[in-house]
Amino acid sequence: MKSVAPELGDMSKEDFRRLGHDLIDWIANYFDNINELPVLAAIEPGDLKAKLPTTAPVQGESMESIIADLDRLIVPALTHWSHPSFFAYFATSTSAPGIFGELLSAAFDNKAMLWRTSPASTELEEVVLDWLRQMMGLDRGMLGIIYDTASVSSLHAIAAAREGVEQRIREEGMSGRPDLPLLRVYVSEQSHSSIEKAVITLGLGQRGMRKIPTDSEFRMDAAALAAAIDEDKRNGYLPFCVVATVGTTSTSSIDPVPEIVPICEEHAMWLHVDAAYAGSAAIVPELRNILAGCERADSLVTNPHKWLFTPFDLSVLYCRHMDLLKRAFSLVPEYLRTPEQEKVRSGSDYGIQLGRRFRALKLWMVMRYFGHDGLTARIREHCRLARLFASWMAESPDWEVMAPVPLGLVCFRACPDGATGLDALNESIMHGVNASGRALLSHTRLNDKLTLRLSIGNIRTTEKHVRDVWELLNEQLRQSHKN
Ligand SMILES: Cc1ncc(COP(=O)(O)O)c(C=O)c1O
């Protein structure tokens, strides 16, 4: 008997129970067999769309046929982020407790906009973020709030910083105001594009952001920052925010926050730290110093969906001035007023969204299931594997490491003796690796050289996977060099 929707109401409870078990089996099999799947989706643009009907079904279909189409249509069109040989961008992964958390959150379907619409989500979020704060060694002054992504967390941080300049921007806006100086945000040349997008979205314009050069290890040059702020002030601008990055996207370099802090303090500027990737590493005792200086930052973003085995999405903004964040975003119409509103936190007061997903549940499950020790061990192992891979590169005359390796990311390129056209050679190696389906790498450009990136952050990645990609790279080098 196939499971089709009844005339009214939801799926029968018998079907739900049976199909639910089948689906968990399906997911377990997916993970069991994931090594056999090509990491990068082996399809051409438009392939999936061409196989799908252009209109929705009029009659309901059986769940069995929908699940069959998962195998037939969806899986071949997936790039498998959960594959242990996914080394591109920042490698991330979900985990079993995180999947359970997502499943339950979908079952509860809470919209945590007010305390009363989801006391569990509101209070669990506060507690879990305080646990994470302690694990990262951040001080008590930092209170956390969950958003979907770091892009959105940083946007909210910069909005709070802008609220703090006391220019009545919330009330009067920014356009058509001759009284308003040019507000400026400072980032390093290596900062993530999300900051520039936030600046654009907040109406500050690209002119409202100044990029500061970096040193030979891709860290913000603090002296250049100080000089830029001085110059802008002389020109009548209003510098109000610096975004330092702990763990930049291209190389995982760490801006010198302890040197940046006094500059921000001297000019009464907001310091936001983008630790979207690297923040999780601070839970490892010997890596905690990556957040040195952050005890004097105004806000910091970290993404458990990057390196804390929590399924996408879950980003945490820690902020020392929740009052400013609230002042920037709170707007409570009559229909959202509640008797307890003065005593509790309502998530919708702290952002542009009204409804909020119950994301804290999956992080709670991940943190309880693995524990601080278990999470530490996994991140520590990823860092060990990155150092190991970098050591093979350093020993080989055919390869060079292009940036320091403080965490789980290695930047490198092939440089065989006498070879010319290294950019083209490395591009062809990367395409060869990626087309093989056996591993996935991504690239960046450092000092104007095409550079390959290997990021280790997946819960299933072992030394064997790293050895395999090293062999694959050497295979590709031999082939590309021959051609
Ligand atoms: C340093 C840094 N900041 C921000 C982001 C943006 O993250 P999200 O996708 O959560 O917006 C990334 C993404 O890789 C990143 O590396």
Side-chain angles (χ1 to χ4, degrees):
M1 211 7 215
K2 290 204 168 159
S3 144
V4 283
E7 250 172 59
L8 289 175
D10 200 359
M11 181 184 287
S12 75
K13 60 181 193 282
E14 294 77 17
D15 280 351
F16 181 75
R17 201 175 290 280
R18 180 174 56 81
L19 290 163
H21 283 104
D22 288 354
L23 198 61
I24 293 290
D25 279 342
W26 188 96
I27 296 171
N29 291 336
Y30 169 70
F31 287 134
D32 280 353
N33 300 322
I34 199 162
N35 267 304
E36 314 312 320
L37 297 169
V39 190
L40 182 66
I43 67 163
E44 294 299 319
D47 278 1
L48 175 60
K49 279 205 290 197
K51 290 183 185 146
L52 294 170
T54 52
T55 54
V58 175
Q59 305 290 316
E61 300 177 46
S62 76
M63 192 45 87
E64 285 80 356
S65 70
I66 302 171
I67 291 177
D69 279 353
L70 266 185
D71 287 307
R72 196 172 64 87
L73 298 171
I74 304 300
V75 173
L78 287 173
T79 289
H80 297 283
W81 283 73
S82 291
H83 196 295
S85 298
F86 186 110
F87 298 112
Y89 312 107
F90 278 126
T92 61
S93 70
T94 185
S95 61
I99 294 170
F100 289 156
E102 278 289 17
L103 189 63
L104 286 165
S105 148
F108 299 144
D109 197 26
N110 271 206
K111 283 81 183 171
M113 55 228 204
L114 305 171
W115 177 86
R116 71 165 46 193
T117 62
S118 188
S121 173
T122 308
E123 297 194 11
L124 192 67
E125 179 166 330
E126 288 182 51
V127 170
V128 162
L129 297 192
D130 197 57
W131 291 358
L132 182 61
R133 175 192 68 72
Q134 294 172 48
M135 283 163 60
M136 291 168 66
L138 292 171
D139 63 273
R140 278 177 186 281
M142 285 288 206
L143 298 183
I145 175 132
I146 295 178
Y147 298 108
D148 52 1
T149 57
S151 305
V152 168
S153 293
S154 289
L155 181 135
H156 283 83
I158 299 169
R162 187 180 65 174
E163 189 61 23
V165 300
E166 308 297 351
Q167 295 279 343
R168 295 187 51 78
I169 290 170
R170 177 183 162 120
E171 296 79 8
E172 293 176 31
M174 300 176 71
S175 64
R177 285 188 58 184
D179 62 313
L180 199 63
L182 184 82
L183 272 71
R184 266 212 159 149
V185 177
Y186 300 77
V187 294
S188 92
E189 285 168 345
Q190 292 288 326
S191 70
H192 190 263
S193 53
S194 57
I195 308 301
E196 189 163 346
K197 276 201 191 177
V199 165
I200 297 168
T201 308
L202 289 168
L204 298 160
Q206 282 170 303
R207 221 161 53 99
M209 180 167 140
R210 184 158 176 183
K211 292 189 183 175
I212 305 299
T214 52
D215 65 13
S216 60
E217 296 191 351
F218 310 103
R219 299 170 301 197
M220 186 190 281
D221 176 342
L225 171 70
I229 293 170
D230 284 341
E231 182 185 64
D232 283 356
K233 278 195 151 173
R234 281 197 302 279
N235 287 327
Y237 298 161
L238 177 52
F240 76 103
C241 179
V242 175
V243 180
T245 313
V246 169
T248 57
T249 312
S250 279
T251 71
S252 77
S253 61
I254 296 166
D255 284 343
V257 176
E259 290 171 45
I260 294 170
V261 159
I263 301 169
C264 293
E265 288 178 351
E266 181 190 338
H267 296 283
M269 292 169 72
W270 183 291
L271 175 58
H272 174 58
V273 176
D274 179 355
Y277 161 65
S280 301
I283 71 161
V284 181
E286 66 272 21
L287 295 175
R288 187 171 271 189
N289 62 354
I290 59 174
L291 294 186
C294 293
E295 66 286 350
R296 284 155 73 193
D298 296 283
S299 56
L300 178 145
V301 58
T302 184
N303 277 2
H305 72 225
K306 277 195 162 49
W307 208 6
L308 216 58
F309 317 111
T310 304
F312 192 78
D313 47 17
L314 200 163
S315 174
V316 180
L317 178 70
Y318 284 105
C319 181
R320 209 175 285 290
H321 314 285
M322 291 306 256
D323 52 328
L324 283 176
L325 193 58
K326 188 169 178 180
R327 229 173 71 185
F329 289 103
S330 178
L331 196 62
V332 187
E334 184 54 38
Y335 44 83
L336 294 177
R337 292 196 186 283
T338 64
E340 67 276 359
Q341 67 189 20
E342 299 308 324
K343 287 189 286 192
V344 293
R345 184 202 264 196
S346 288
S348 54
D349 277 340
Y350 297 89
I352 47 181
Q353 275 183 269
L354 177 64
R356 307 171 74 247
R357 299 183 61 223
F358 190 175
R359 295 189 181 89
L361 190 59
K362 57 186 169 181
L363 184 56
W364 184 60
M365 291 192 158
V366 167
M367 289 169 83
R368 287 189 63 185
Y369 179 74
F370 294 111
H372 190 171
D373 284 354
L375 294 167
T376 293
R378 284 161 179 78
I379 293 173
R380 188 182 275 144
E381 173 65 0
H382 291 159
C383 295
R384 182 188 76 81
L385 293 176
R387 285 195 302 274
L388 183 66
F389 180 81
S391 73
W392 300 332
M393 293 264 155
E395 284 160 16
S396 162
D398 293 336
W399 300 90
E400 62 179 331
V401 176
M402 302 291 284
V405 183
L407 300 166
L409 172 70
V410 186
C411 293
F412 63 95
R413 68 175 191 159
C415 55
D417 218 18
T420 52
L422 289 183
D423 279 6
L425 173 68
N426 280 280
E427 201 163 2
S428 124
I429 292 172
M430 179 174 72
H431 289 320
V433 168
N434 294 348
S436 78
R438 287 156 58 195
L440 190 70
L441 301 173
S442 61
H443 74 284
T444 188
R445 190 163 275 281
L446 297 179
N447 297 324
D448 209 25
K449 292 173 183 164
L450 187 107
T451 302
L452 308 186
R453 292 169 73 266
L454 178 115
S455 164
I456 301 173
N458 189 291
I459 200 160
R460 292 186 163 70
T461 303
T462 64
E463 190 169 322
K464 178 179 177 315
H465 299 104
V466 180
R467 286 192 188 278
D468 287 350
V469 72
W470 173 232
E471 262 174 42
L472 184 55
L473 279 162
N474 281 293
E475 241 171 65
Q476 289 298 323
L477 170 61
R478 284 190 293 276
Q479 267 178 29
S480 305
H481 206 27
K482 246 190 279 159
N483 299 337

